[in-house]
Amino acid sequence: MALGQSEISQEKMASIPPDFKSSMEAWQRLATPGEPHKLLAGRIGSWKAKSKHWMELDKPPMEFEGSCERKMILDGRFLQEDFSGEMMGIPFKGIGVIGYDNQNNNYVAVWMDSMSTGIYLFEGTAGEDGKTISLESCFNDPVKGPGTWRIVTRIVDENTEVAEMRMKFESGKEEKCETTYTRYSLKH
């Protein structure tokens, strides 16, 4: 007679030492997507992006456009973004992944792009409004030196969000980029 799924699980669980059981239960609890993951899932789809980048805050910005595809990965735990566009006449591609760490109660993200060989690690929080995510990373620009990269993403409505990025360097120099994303398809 074949054992059912629940019988197999119960049989296996009975043979596991109690301290390992409690550890596995804690990991299962922490691995369960919650409300922050639902917020991220609401951002799936195809998006157009329009950016303004101020290399110097007192001068007019450069403008460029792009698009991105977003999808949830790993059973709804992370939102992956594949970005493509052009920056200063150069083709630009980037990949980002953002999630919410249930154990540390914060958002975590990584970003990689075709203008670097680095992987940028971000951590941050959500605003009380439930529609704002603030992330921060430390990085080292090859020309301007060490700095802090802060991204504040505000969900305007179901199909619009605005991301403001500020890069502040130890030298005192500061750059700003503002990107407006508009969803044109829910399919990913």
Side-chain angles (χ1 to χ4, degrees), residues 163-174:
E164 181 180 298
M165 296 176 262
R166 289 198 176 255
M167 291 165 236
K168 293 183 181 182
F169 301 93
E170 287 181 6
S171 65
K173 185 166 175 51
E174 186 175 344

Side-chain angles (χ1 to χ4, degrees), residues 38-67:
K38 289 179 188 173
L39 175 76
L40 296 174
R43 311 323 296 156
I44 65 169
S46 301
W47 299 73
K48 291 181 183 178
K50 291 187 177 188
S51 295
K52 294 180 180 181
H53 191 128
W54 290 263
M55 299 289 283
E56 296 180 45
L57 299 180
D58 60 344
K59 301 230 171 83
M62 296 180 292
E63 296 187 29
F64 53 93
E65 295 184 7
S67 63

Side-chain angles (χ1 to χ4, degrees), residues 15-124:
S15 67
I16 297 173
D19 60 333
F20 190 75
K21 267 190 215 178
S22 63
S23 178
M24 289 303 296
E25 288 167 359
W27 278 104
Q28 261 185 324
R29 218 175 25 260
L30 291 172
T32 302
E35 289 304 313
H37 303 93
K38 289 179 188 173
L39 175 76
L40 296 174
R43 311 323 296 156
I44 65 169
S46 301
W47 299 73
K48 291 181 183 178
K50 291 187 177 188
S51 295
K52 294 180 180 181
H53 191 128
W54 290 263
M55 299 289 283
E56 296 180 45
L57 299 180
D58 60 344
K59 301 230 171 83
M62 296 180 292
E63 296 187 29
F64 53 93
E65 295 184 7
S67 63
C68 67
E69 298 291 325
R70 294 177 178 164
K71 65 182 178 180
M72 293 301 287
I73 59 172
L74 298 174
D75 301 321
R77 290 176 177 84
F78 300 94
L79 178 68
Q80 178 180 317
E81 175 178 313
D82 292 311
F83 187 94
S84 61
E86 200 173 280
M87 187 182 295
M88 298 179 287
I90 300 169
F92 177 80
K93 292 190 179 286
I95 298 171
V97 176
I98 183 172
Y100 186 81
D101 183 337
N102 288 333
Q103 181 171 357
N104 294 313
N105 296 313
N106 67 343
Y107 283 91
V108 290
V110 296
W111 177 258
M112 302 158 277
D113 61 51
S114 58
M115 296 189 92
S116 155
T117 56
I119 297 176
Y120 303 95
L121 306 172
F122 291 85
E123 288 190 30

